[in-house]
Amino acid sequence: MSQQKVDLTTLPPQQIFEFKRQIQQEVQHLQSSIQALNTAKAKFNECIANIDRVSKSPENDILTPLTSSLYVPGKIVDNDKFLVDVGTGYYVEKNVEDAKEFYKLRIDKLNQDSEQLTQMIQEKINIMKSVDNVLKQKIQQEEKSRQQTTQA
Amino acid sequence: MSQKNLEDISLRFSKLQNELNDLIKARQQLETQYQENKIVKEEFAKLDESSTVFKLIGPVLVPQDFNEADINVKKRIEFIENEIKKVEGNIQDHQKNLETTRDELITLRTQQTQT
C-alpha cells in the first residue's frame, strides 16, 4: 500500500466519493467480523452451559449422535471428563473446571477483540463523517462557481 | 502499432492484478492458519505429558502422544511462517511489477491521446 498523505480538500469530488465508498466497505467488513465473533461467543457459552448440565445432572443416560440423523442410547461413564476442541483438529481431555476455564478464556479473548473492533468502526465512522463534510463543501463550492460562470 | 502494444500491456496489467489478488488471498488464509496454530500451541503450553490428546482425522478421534502433538504443532507453525515469508516476497515482486506496468500503460496512453 502506498502510504502518502493527501489533503482531501485538494481532490476532485469523484475521488472523495470513491474514498468514502472505500471506508464504507471497510466498515461493513468490520461489522460482519463482529457478527462472526458474536456467533463464536454464543457457541462457547453453549459449551459451558452443556458442561454444567452434564456434570450436574443426576441422570447419565444420553442419546449419542453417530451422524446428524442417527442416534444410539448411551450412558455417560464419567461426567468429569470432557474432550475439548483446542483447534486444528486437536482435542484435549479436561475435567469440568478446566474445560469451563478454557471456554471462559476463549470468550474473554473474543470480548477483547470485539471491543477493539467496535472502536475501529467508530473511528472509521468519524472519518467518514469528516469526509462527508469535505464532500458537501466541495459540491457547494462547485455549484457556486458554476453559477458565477453562468452569470458572467 | 501502438494500439497492439497498449492492448498487450493492459492485458498483462489485469493479469498481474488477478495474480496479486490470489496471492493476497493466500496470505490471508495462511494468517488464519497461523493464528489457529498459535492458539493451539499456547494451549499445549499449559498441558503436560499426562494430558490425553486426540487428533480428529476424518470423523475419527485418534489418540495422540502429547509430545508428538506438541512437536507437530511447532513444526507446522515454522512451516507456515516460511510460507508467509515466501508469499510476502511474491506479493512485493508483483506489486513492483504492477507499478512498472501501470507506468508503461500511462505513458502509452498519454502518447496516444497526444497524437
Side-chain angles (χ1 to χ4, degrees), chain A residues 9-142:
Chain A
T9 51
T10 61
L11 291 176
Q14 277 107 328
Q15 276 188 32
I16 303 178
F17 194 72
E18 193 56 35
F19 181 58
K20 188 190 149 192
R21 226 174 42 109
Q22 221 175 15
I23 301 174
Q24 249 167 347
Q25 258 174 6
E26 279 171 40
V27 169
Q28 251 165 21
H29 180 76
L30 290 176
Q31 267 162 350
S32 63
S33 304
I34 280 207
Q35 231 157 28
L37 287 187
N38 282 335
T39 332
K41 226 162 40 184
K43 228 165 69 186
F44 287 148
N45 270 319
E46 210 180 308
C47 288
I48 293 184
N50 277 328
I51 291 171
D52 275 336
R53 209 172 304 149
V54 169
S55 62
K56 283 180 187 147
S57 154
E59 305 274 339
N60 48 19
D61 289 322
I62 55 160
L63 286 169
T64 324
L66 293 183
T67 71
S68 58
S69 57
L70 180 65
Y71 294 80
V72 286
K75 276 192 195 311
I76 295 172
V77 183
D78 188 344
N79 64 2
D80 193 35
K81 259 185 193 167
F82 294 90
L83 279 174
V84 178
D85 182 358
V86 295
T88 67
Y90 282 112
Y91 285 71
V92 177
E93 200 173 81
K94 286 177 180 295
N95 61 23
V96 173
E97 249 170 72
D98 286 348
K100 273 161 78 173
E101 181 66 22
F102 172 84
Y103 285 120
K104 268 184 198 140
L105 276 175
R106 285 282 165 103
I107 291 170
D108 279 350
K109 182 90 187 23
L110 287 178
N111 276 334
Q112 274 171 23
D113 286 351
S114 64
E115 231 169 79
Q116 253 179 17
L117 271 180
T118 330
Q119 224 177 350
M120 269 163 84
I121 289 176
Q122 197 50 52
E123 273 167 30
K124 294 265 176 209
I125 286 175
N126 285 342
I127 294 174
M128 213 152 73
K129 273 184 194 152
S130 46
V131 170
D132 248 350
N133 277 335
V134 174
L135 198 61
K136 262 185 212 151
Q137 273 173 8
K138 271 264 157 172
I139 290 170
Q140 270 171 1
Q141 260 174 19
E142 267 197 12

Side-chain angles (χ1 to χ4, degrees), chain B residues 26-61:
Chain B
R27 172 71 181 85
Q28 279 169 340
Q29 219 172 8
L30 280 173
E31 187 64 31
T32 323
Q33 282 174 5
Y34 182 59
Q35 293 300 337
E36 194 180 356
N37 274 289
K38 245 173 51 183
I39 291 173
V40 178
K41 192 181 143 198
E42 274 168 33
E43 189 55 36
F44 278 176
K46 291 183 213 155
L47 306 173
D48 55 57
E49 275 172 58
S50 64
S51 320
T52 321
V53 179
F54 293 86
K55 174 117 179 84
L56 189 69
I57 299 171
V60 195
L61 282 171

